Amino acid sequence: MQKISELFGSSLFNDKIMRVRLTKEVYIKLQRTINEGVPLEADAADEIANAMKNWALERGATHYTHWFQPMTGKTAEKHEALFITSNEGNAIEHFSGKSLIMGEGDASSFPNGGLRATFEARGYTVWDCTSPAFLKEKNGAITLCIPTAFCSYTGEALDKKTPLLRSIEALEKSSKRILKLFGSEPNRVFCTLGAEQEYFLIDKRLYQQRKDIIYTGRTLFGAPAPKGQDLSDHYYGSIKESISSFMSDLDIELWKLGIPVKTKHNEVAPGQHELAPIFTSVNIASDQNQMIMEALETIANRHNLVCLLHEKPFAGINGSGKHNNWSIATSEGINLLEPGETPRENTQFLVFLSAVIKAIDKYSELLRISASSYTNDYRLGGHEAPPAIISMFVGEQLEEVLQHIENDELMINKLAKKLESGVLTLPILKKDVTDRNRTSPFAFTGNKFEFRMVGSSQTIADPNIILNTIVVDVLNEFADKLEQSKNLPIDLQLLIRNTIKEHRRIIFNGNGYSEEWKKEAERRGLPILHTAVDAIPHFISEKAKNAFIKNKVLSESEIMSRYEIKLDDYVKRANIEATTMIHMYRKDIFPAVVEYVNLLSLSIINMKQTNLNVVVKPQERLLEQISSLLNDAEEAFILLQNYLKYANNTNNLLERSKLYRDEVLMSMRILRKPCDELELLVGKEYWPFPTYGDLLFRL
Ligand code: ADP
Ligand code: MG
């Protein structure tokens, strides 16, 4: 095997390759485009495209594609062969600067939430030169992938990348305003992001026998196996050979793409695993996370496995999340969420910290939405996942500091006396904050925030668009005030103190999984949004709209379209699940149970016919139990069908989604219960699909 240092980034058209393959002049021009957004001249684009093409051809590529992230949350691509034909009808390898920079496609079938009428359904993909082009290999087919943003003819964002890029720009501007007050003018300020990714692996042959997993990504039926995660013996357990070989292939594939995957381990649930790359700037981290999710699925398939990215594939055992580790850094290598060592740095840290505290409290509904989806609803509030209530953990040390700042009435006076230094001093915080709270949705972990609500199948663009926007909003508000200040040191103290005072209710350092916290959160008046349907309407509140529009992250129509897409996605996924259950019950479970019932009945008749002194009681009891459960199931089945019809006949999308949340999902639960009980009563060979035991323990 090659060394990691040789493999790493070998499928990337990265800076190293560009230095070699571009003329110095064009290389500098491209750097200016990447770093300063200066438009690229046509000649330079042609040269870059040509270099990219030659590099890709040498590596065996036949096609290129603009790779984008439509509002499905997945990635999309349309491949074009890297050639043109000559007048004589010969093929000539070719790739123009124009095709590199912009692509135009019909693409009318992506969800757009009314942003594009079909008659003007063109979508444009525009090169995002801040994220490197890469080669995707699929069983010998090699494609040059060019990361792009996707927008409409009128410039509206039709994807997840464009608003993310806008939020990154806004974060840079607002952070620079604050830093300037502290006399610091870094070249760039950007958001850093490390996304830990959890996933399940199951056997491909078993997967193929489960319609529910095929259509929905999770099990809709299934009795618990005798053993689940009770012993925690899977957590950090020794990795099985078959899984290890999969992980090793995955590592190699991801390293080639320049994705710095660093850690891997078994998670708590049987069949559950996690990987984490080293953090990088959020736009790249977001692209990389999409590549990771795709590679997980592709490489699992190569190993006769199926990777489940669903947030809750199995009832009763842990679900999967994606921990979104977020911070703000400067190009000079300063982490703005790192408590400083000097008074000046301390105060600066406290300004950023209090901005985050305020943002999370003021816009907690938005942050909740950023992790809201139909599938994540099954995970949030489970015993292993943060509840559907947003709160913040800052740790004991920092809590003490904050309390001190908040309570010290004399602080301002004291400070006034020593105005020359004039800044608040933090006791030096220990770098390695040992008190870790795993139950908080949003935890300060020493020099970054870890947002743990995000679902394993989600794009991290969503939570980071929102996180950036709400923090930007507060930073700008702070800057507006402070830039007018006649006495900056005093005003800084006041701002920090008042902010902490006003928003302290969002800080909770206790056990976020406990029942007491739910009650406490209610007392504090924190929004409790149990489901995605409860959360999504807050996306179009005046407060939310203002934050998006004012900070130029989303326009009014882009907000409305995303609101609609989110609700629509909820309804569609619920509909697919309900329909899958209906099929599985009627076409698989019902016939299987009838067959088994028949066997029992025949057994009773036959045994009685022998005229021997035999006991048929066991068969009779089982028969009674089974037929009674089958009757319960049949009633629930009828109920589900009726509610589904009723919901689908409701035109208003919000009303429909509420009907799904309340009625359809309830009847799905009612149908599942007797079916799962039946599974434990009906003979193994008669049951129509693999059980939890098979799926979780037969790898
Ligand atoms: P865990 O949360 O499992 O204890 P770590 O805290 O070591 O793991 O790191 C988790 C993730 O956080 C990794 O992807 C790591 O690169 C990332 N991370 C570390 N520092 C930062 C930072 N300043 N900004 C963003 N992400 C970071
Ligand atoms: Mg973590």
Side-chain angles (χ1 to χ4, degrees):
M1 175 176 149
Q2 262 176 298
K3 286 204 275 186
I4 300 178
S5 55
E6 286 163 9
L7 277 174
F8 195 79
S10 59
S11 294
L12 276 190
F13 192 74
N14 56 14
D15 191 68
K16 202 165 87 188
I17 303 281
M18 287 193 264
R19 276 175 198 274
V20 176
R21 293 190 176 243
L22 300 179
T23 57
K24 196 166 176 205
E25 194 193 343
V26 167
Y27 174 81
I28 291 169
K29 279 186 184 161
L30 181 58
Q31 288 309 307
R32 289 192 51 207
T33 305
I34 292 173
N35 294 322
E36 294 155 41
V38 179
L40 201 63
E41 291 153 26
D43 287 359
D46 276 334
E47 184 185 317
I48 298 164
N50 195 46
M52 245 186 217
K53 175 206 73 187
N54 290 339
W55 170 78
L57 290 176
E58 284 164 31
R59 307 289 306 273
T62 50
H63 290 71
Y64 79 91
T65 181
H66 276 193
W67 183 74
F68 58 105
Q69 296 166 30
M71 289 193 276
T72 54
K74 301 261 173 296
T75 60
E77 45 193 68
K78 177 187 169 199
H79 297 202
E80 304 220 17
L82 284 161
F83 78 98
I84 49 170
T85 46
S86 68
N87 289 342
E88 296 78 37
N90 298 321
I92 307 164
E93 273 75 18
H94 184 78
F95 182 42
S96 69
K98 222 171 122 219
S99 323
L100 165 65
I101 288 179
M102 191 142 117
E104 186 185 324
D106 172 32
S108 56
S109 296
F110 290 112
N112 62 60
L115 268 185
R116 285 184 304 163
T118 25
F119 61 86
E120 49 170 38
R122 270 181 217 288
Y124 291 85
T125 47
V126 184
W127 183 29
D128 167 21
C129 59
T130 60
S131 182
F134 59 95
L135 294 175
K136 197 192 276 187
E137 290 180 46
K138 285 242 165 117
N139 210 3
I142 300 179
T143 308
L144 169 64
C145 297
I146 295 154
T148 51
F150 180 46
C151 59
S152 75
Y153 179 68
T154 45
E156 282 151 321
L158 297 171
D159 67 348
K160 304 276 183 183
K161 189 190 261 284
T162 309
L164 180 63
L165 290 171
R166 292 179 190 156
S167 77
I168 293 168
E169 200 181 319
L171 187 71
E172 171 157 29
K173 280 193 190 141
S174 60
S175 303
K176 280 182 169 171
R177 285 179 70 188
I178 299 290
L179 290 174
K180 197 162 180 204
L181 298 166
F182 287 90
S184 144
E185 294 190 48
N187 196 14
R188 306 293 314 252
V189 177
F190 52 92
C191 165
T192 53
L193 206 285
E196 303 161 59
Q197 173 76 49
E198 292 178 333
Y199 60 94
F200 276 88
L201 291 172
I202 60 170
D203 185 304
K204 187 155 70 176
R205 280 161 310 173
L206 300 176
Y207 161 85
Q208 282 156 348
Q209 296 167 50
R210 296 272 330 199
K211 288 196 190 107
D212 46 4
I213 310 186
I214 293 176
Y215 294 131
T216 74
R218 74 171 181 121
T219 53
L220 298 170
F221 293 102
K227 183 186 173 200
Q229 60 192 45
D230 319 59
L231 302 177
S232 290
D233 48 356
H234 195 255
Y235 190 51
Y236 281 18
S238 126
I239 300 170
K240 283 193 188 132
E241 210 162 72
S242 58
I243 304 300
S244 189
S245 137
F246 154 82
M247 285 180 170
S248 167
D249 271 4
L250 179 70
D251 281 337
I252 291 173
E253 214 56 47
L254 296 177
W255 286 331
K256 283 204 271 185
L257 290 165
I259 302 173
V261 277
K262 176 95 171 150
T263 61
K264 53 182 177 186
H265 65 84
N266 284 353
E267 256 301 332
V268 176
Q272 195 186 24
H273 312 276
E274 179 182 312
L275 68 82
I278 297 172
F279 71 94
T280 175
S281 67
V282 67
N283 179 35
I284 293 187
S286 169
D287 283 358
Q288 288 184 343
N289 186 253
Q290 289 287 358
M291 293 188 229
I292 289 173
M293 289 196 284
E294 184 173 342
L296 277 166
E297 290 179 337
T298 310
I299 291 162
N301 189 46
R302 263 185 228 162
H303 287 255
N304 289 318
L305 297 166
V306 171
C307 173
L308 305 181
L309 292 170
H310 193 289
E311 284 78 4
K312 193 76 174 179
F314 304 99
I317 65 171
N318 282 7
S320 301
K322 182 135 53 187
H323 292 173
N324 192 80
N325 296 276
W326 176 95
S327 190
I328 314 172
T330 70
S331 47
E332 284 69 30
I334 307 289
N335 179 349
L336 297 178
L337 291 177
E338 177 107 58
E341 284 172 5
T342 66
R344 192 194 64 82
E345 285 170 357
N346 270 338
T347 313
Q348 185 184 298
F349 162 72
L350 283 173
V351 171
F352 280 96
L353 180 76
S354 39
V356 178
I357 293 173
K358 176 163 186 175
I360 303 303
D361 186 34
K362 184 172 174 191
Y363 294 109
S364 81
E365 298 95 341
L366 270 184
L367 197 65
R368 170 71 183 92
I369 294 169
S370 80
S372 292
S373 68
Y374 178 76
T375 51
N376 208 16
D377 271 2
Y378 288 95
R379 167 179 164 260
L380 293 180
H383 294 296
E384 81 291 354
I389 310 165
I390 297 281
S391 69
M392 245 172 116
F393 167 86
V394 295
E396 239 173 71
Q397 265 196 69
L398 205 52
E399 172 65 28
E400 242 174 69
V401 175
L402 296 185
Q403 246 163 34
H404 174 77
I405 296 174
E406 193 187 334
N407 297 334
D408 190 358
E409 296 296 337
L410 297 173
M411 183 182 77
I412 303 299
N413 290 338
K414 266 193 263 169
L415 277 158
K417 280 187 203 139
K418 46 169 186 172
L419 251 185
E420 318 79 79
S421 72
V423 268
L424 199 150
T425 32
L426 263 179
I428 300 285
L429 291 179
K430 281 187 238 111
K431 281 284 142 61
D432 187 26
V433 186
T434 42
D435 55 337
R436 284 237 163 165
N437 182 326
R438 299 270 168 202
T439 64
S440 174
F442 199 79
F444 183 68
T445 53
N447 59 5
K448 62 181 188 300
F449 279 99
E450 183 169 357
F451 182 35
R452 303 203 181 95
M453 249 187 194
V454 185
S456 48
S457 70
Q458 260 189 285
T459 158
I460 58 165
D462 281 341
N464 291 300
I465 291 167
I466 289 193
L467 208 48
N468 289 347
T469 306
I470 62 180
V471 172
V472 163
D473 193 63
V474 178
L475 287 175
N476 279 333
E477 181 198 311
F478 282 8
D480 287 344
K481 259 195 217 139
L482 296 172
E483 281 163 359
Q484 304 304 319
S485 168
K486 303 249 162 2
N487 191 339
L488 192 58
I490 289 285
D491 286 341
L492 274 169
Q493 315 303 325
L494 279 173
L495 179 77
I496 294 169
R497 202 177 62 165
N498 292 343
T499 307
I500 293 166
K501 246 190 181 156
E502 210 174 310
H503 298 284
R504 109 133 20 246
R505 63 169 192 165
I506 198 73
I507 298 173
F508 176 67
N509 290 320
N511 180 3
Y513 295 178
S514 67
E515 278 306 310
E516 295 83 73
W517 167 231
K518 283 183 202 145
K519 292 193 198 108
E520 169 67 17
E522 227 167 279
R523 266 197 300 277
R524 292 188 189 185
L526 294 175
I528 302 182
L529 302 166
H530 289 293
T531 67
V533 175
D534 301 309
I536 294 168
H538 292 275
F539 200 69
I540 54 171
S541 69
E542 279 312 303
K543 183 171 75 171
K545 280 186 181 172
N546 273 338
F548 285 127
I549 295 170
K550 197 166 70 193
N551 297 299
K552 299 195 172 65
V553 174
L554 291 173
S555 67
E556 169 94 26
S557 58
E558 288 169 341
I559 296 168
M560 294 310 292
S561 75
R562 275 153 186 82
Y563 162 75
E564 217 162 275
I565 289 169
K566 273 172 186 291
L567 278 184
D568 194 50
D569 183 78
Y570 183 95
V571 163
K572 283 184 174 145
R573 284 182 197 275
N575 181 46
I576 292 170
E577 287 201 349
T579 311
T580 305
M581 273 190 114
I582 288 171
H583 282 216
M584 286 174 83
Y585 170 74
R586 184 46 98 222
K587 292 157 73 149
D588 301 321
I589 297 177
F590 186 86
V593 176
V594 168
E595 198 186 345
Y596 195 63
V597 160
N598 209 19
L599 177 87
L600 288 173
S601 315
L602 281 177
S603 159
I604 295 168
I605 295 168
N606 289 343
M607 279 173 80
K608 281 186 176 163
Q609 271 178 358
T610 61
N611 285 328
L612 293 170
N613 187 18
V614 285
V615 190
V616 291
K617 196 75 200 146
Q619 282 93 325
E620 284 174 356
R621 268 186 46 212
L622 187 55
L623 189 57
E624 276 172 15
Q625 254 181 305
I626 293 182
S627 65
S628 155
L629 284 168
L630 190 60
N631 189 49
D632 292 350
E634 187 69 19
E635 277 174 12
F637 170 72
I638 294 165
L639 189 75
L640 174 58
Q641 282 181 311
N642 288 339
Y643 273 131
L644 191 60
K645 210 190 233 163
Y646 180 53
N648 285 341
N649 282 335
T650 306
N651 278 332
N652 180 288
L653 190 54
L654 184 58
E655 288 312 311
R656 200 184 326 149
S657 66
K658 285 182 181 164
L659 283 173
Y660 267 98
R661 177 197 61 190
D662 299 331
E663 317 298 350
V664 177
L665 265 58
M666 174 199 58
S667 27
M668 282 164 63
R669 279 193 297 274
I670 299 178
L671 173 58
R672 176 170 183 160
K673 196 162 175 287
C675 291
D676 287 0
E677 287 177 42
L678 282 166
E679 182 195 313
L680 297 175
L681 299 179
V682 171
K684 168 85 179 155
E685 282 171 36
Y686 294 81
W687 199 249
F689 34 77
T691 63
Y692 269 30
D694 300 331
L695 292 167
L696 293 167
F697 293 99
R698 268 178 47 189
L699 269 186

